[in-house]
Amino acid sequence: DTEVTQTPKHLVMGMTNKKSLKCEQHMGHRAMYWYKQKAKKPPELMFVYSYEKLSINESVPSRFSPECPNSSLLNLHLHALQPEDSALYLCASSQEEYEQYFGPGTRLTVT
Amino acid sequence: GQNIDQPTEMTATEGAIVQINCTYQTSGFNGLFWYQQHAGEAPTFLSYNVLDGLEEKGRFSSFLSRSKGYSYLLLKELQMKDSASYLCAVESGGYQKVTFGTGTKLQVIP
């Protein structure tokens, strides 16, 4: 299984809502990542978990809260988002410093 | 900070060869990735260079010069399906910290 799955594929939420994005991989990778990608822009790193511990937080606003319940799962909890947070949210995983495998992404729209 | 530069757009003919350049300025350089991203899809891995030189993988090759802060991706025997964005990504300041360049949108024409 060389797949990273993400749910939901699409999400529309209001600025007062609370929602969560989910990511799963069964490749035994020990590093998992969240990226944000705006249209026609490259992915921007948000968070990295290594061995289920948060290792990198790229100064992301606190309205984004990551969680790694176990080595296969990664969540991104969303609360009080702004319209400018609308983007494609990509999850990825890797085995140490090797290539990252990306999931298909969740397209988020904040209204 | 980091600075990663790629041409914004390129056009090439089916069956031809195209070279996509990437220059970077960073501290704590570990390695450089190339990813392909079709519109509306997630990036897919193409190559990873750590040492100077050319790495060949089928129709795709990637070159790195650490001293010059320079890399290129070479695509041979271009096919229409190669029309996509090609992202150069630098790993620096520790493993797993990857910064993507702005990407080069390649259009392959008949």
Side-chain angles (χ1 to χ4, degrees):
Chain A
D1 184 0
T2 58
E3 195 179 37
V4 176
T5 58
Q6 290 187 244
T7 55
K9 287 187 178 179
H10 300 276
L11 177 63
V12 179
M13 61 184 289
M15 288 189 283
T16 57
N17 291 159
K18 283 186 182 181
K19 296 286 184 184
S20 297
L21 309 185
K22 297 184 183 303
C23 174
E24 190 167 4
Q25 58 89 14
H26 294 286
M27 294 177 277
H29 290 170
R30 307 311 295 196
M32 295 186 77
Y33 311 74
W34 280 115
Y35 287 87
K36 173 182 177 181
Q37 187 173 25
K38 303 279 275 185
K40 300 184 180 180
K41 298 288 187 182
E44 293 178 25
L45 185 64
M46 299 174 72
F47 303 104
V48 181
Y49 273 82
S50 181
Y51 290 88
E52 300 167 46
K53 292 193 186 319
L54 184 65
S55 59
I56 296 175
N57 177 341
E58 289 290 273
S59 302
V60 179
S62 59
R63 57 185 185 269
F64 295 91
S65 174
E67 178 197 18
C68 189
N70 60 56
S71 60
S72 300
L73 293 173
L74 186 66
N75 298 323
L76 186 63
H77 302 298
L78 314 172
H79 174 54
L81 294 193
Q82 304 296 311
E84 60 264 29
D85 296 323
S86 298
L88 179 69
Y89 288 84
L90 293 163
C91 173
S93 70
S94 73
Q95 188 66 297
E96 300 299 340
E97 68 273 22
Y98 299 114
E99 67 266 26
Q100 295 181 20
Y101 290 77
F102 284 83
T106 294
R107 191 160 297 281
L108 173 68
T109 302
V110 181
T111 60
Chain B
Q2 299 193 56
N3 195 24
I4 304 171
D5 288 316
Q6 302 178 236
T8 304
E9 294 181 345
M10 297 182 73
T11 301
T13 306
E14 191 176 14
I17 299 173
V18 70
Q19 178 175 311
I20 302 174
N21 296 326
C22 172
T23 58
Y24 62 89
Q25 292 176 303
T26 187
S27 56
F29 177 85
N30 291 326
L32 187 143
F33 295 92
W34 282 97
Y35 284 85
Q36 179 192 61
Q37 187 173 26
H38 285 98
E41 298 182 11
T44 56
F45 170 80
L46 293 176
S47 67
Y48 179 51
N49 293 69
V50 175
L51 302 176
D52 286 357
L54 187 68
E55 300 258 351
E56 297 187 71
K57 201 185 280 187
R59 292 190 302 115
F60 293 70
S61 302
S62 58
F63 171 84
L64 176 67
S65 169
R66 295 175 67 119
S67 61
K68 294 182 180 177
Y70 168 68
S71 173
Y72 67 74
L73 180 70
L74 195 69
L75 292 77
K76 303 175 188 174
E77 301 169 16
L78 279 173
Q79 302 175 9
M80 299 300 290
K81 67 178 182 180
D82 296 330
S83 293
S85 286
Y86 291 85
L87 300 161
C88 164
V90 170
E91 185 177 53
S92 63
Y95 292 116
Q96 304 159 353
K97 186 173 168 67
V98 175
T99 303
F100 283 82
T102 51
T104 298
K105 187 175 180 180
L106 174 67
Q107 183 181 14
V108 180
I109 57 175

